[in-house]
Amino acid sequence: MEKTVNYLSTNSYDTLNTYTNTTKNVWLVFHGIGYLSRFFIRHFSQLSAEENYIICPQAPSKYYKDNTYKRVGASWLTRENTAVETENVLNYIDAVIQNENIDFNTVRFIVLGYSQGVSIATRWLALRKQFCHQLVMISGVFPKELGRTNFLHLPNLKTVHSVGLNDEIFDPENVKLQENRICSYFPKTQIINHNGGHILEVKLLEKYINI
């Protein structure tokens, strides 16, 4: 017999730069599978430190990535007990945002998901009815269970969908289907693909801000 239990849990997260009255953009960024937040957040170091404050949550499920048991990665969710694990992750993100105490009336709030992080970013916005100015989805899969009605609280949301044209994970036909689906949900979507593979193209980060 499988049973469940509630308990208190502690998890870390990383930030980059300092949130001040000169901050123009606050980024909430979700890494992909295999990352740790302290390494993923380094991708954003090219942005102006004075104008950009980065918050990078840490996926809770950690594992060893190789047989030497030295390299550690992390995963947000699996197909096992997904509904409960999703709620746990969303509760954690809620706590991160509450702890940061950001005044979202004075900054541009950008939510970015890379790879598996796309599924977390979109679920958090949809299921928690959270506000953001912009949603950036990079090399990830939009959750099947989410539809346009889940985002009615964000009627003017600007979105970016970006995939590497040489991404070994995604079939071009499926990418096109997802692009069409997202554009039907978010009319203000911009498709900004690049010639790389399954990567976050850091050269495009500045471009996302100006959309």
Side-chain angles (χ1 to χ4, degrees):
M1 179 182 295
E2 183 177 76
K3 301 180 180 181
T4 61
V5 63
N6 292 321
Y7 65 97
L8 210 56
S9 181
T10 300
N11 194 14
S12 64
Y13 67 98
D14 283 86
T15 63
L16 180 66
N17 307 326
T18 304
Y19 174 61
T20 69
N21 57 10
T22 64
T23 301
K24 294 183 178 179
N25 308 295
V26 172
W27 299 68
L28 178 64
V29 301
F30 296 93
H31 64 76
I33 192 169
Y35 271 97
L36 293 178
S37 59
R38 68 176 179 270
F39 298 125
F40 184 70
I41 203 170
R42 294 177 184 176
H43 289 303
F44 301 84
S45 60
Q46 68 161 4
L47 299 174
S48 166
E50 183 178 349
E51 296 183 355
N52 295 275
Y53 181 62
I54 321 297
I55 305 168
C56 187
Q58 172 62 64
S61 299
K62 300 175 183 69
Y63 59 92
Y64 287 110
K65 297 174 64 174
D66 55 24
N67 293 332
T68 65
Y69 299 98
K70 293 181 179 179
R71 298 180 62 209
V72 177
S75 172
W76 290 103
L77 298 170
T78 67
R79 68 181 61 184
E80 179 69 20
N81 209 13
T82 306
V84 171
E85 293 298 333
T86 297
E87 184 64 18
N88 290 339
V89 167
L90 297 188
N91 287 339
Y92 159 64
I93 299 167
D94 291 343
V96 169
I97 293 299
Q98 183 177 6
N99 192 57
E100 285 298 309
N101 195 29
I102 303 294
D103 183 357
F104 292 108
N105 294 314
T106 62
V107 296
R108 181 179 180 83
F109 185 36
I110 303 171
V111 176
L112 180 147
Y114 163 69
S115 193
Q116 192 188 40
V118 170
S119 68
I120 304 302
T122 51
R123 284 178 171 126
W124 183 67
L125 290 174
L127 301 179
R128 290 297 199 257
K129 302 303 176 189
Q130 289 289 335
F131 169 81
C132 74
H133 294 94
Q134 188 171 325
L135 169 63
V136 181
M137 296 168 280
I138 302 173
S139 300
V141 177
F142 195 91
K144 294 180 179 179
E145 77 272 14
L146 298 183
R148 182 69 189 106
T149 55
N150 295 110
F151 296 91
L152 293 179
H153 63 294
L154 296 169
N156 299 310
L157 180 65
K158 294 180 178 181
T159 67
V160 173
H161 188 270
S162 180
V163 174
L165 298 179
N166 294 299
D167 193 322
E168 65 278 11
I169 294 179
F170 296 116
D171 177 81
E173 184 175 341
N174 290 333
V175 170
K176 189 61 179 178
L177 289 174
Q178 174 157 290
E179 288 175 350
N180 292 338
R181 179 184 173 208
I182 289 172
C183 288
S184 71
Y185 297 161
F186 309 109
K188 295 184 178 181
T189 296
Q190 290 205 31
I191 307 298
I192 306 179
N193 295 329
H194 58 85
N195 292 321
H198 193 73
I199 60 171
L200 188 157
E201 181 51 80
V202 294
K203 294 179 181 178
L204 294 174
L205 290 176
E206 288 280 2
K207 188 172 184 178
Y208 298 151
I209 297 173
N210 297 318
I211 289 174

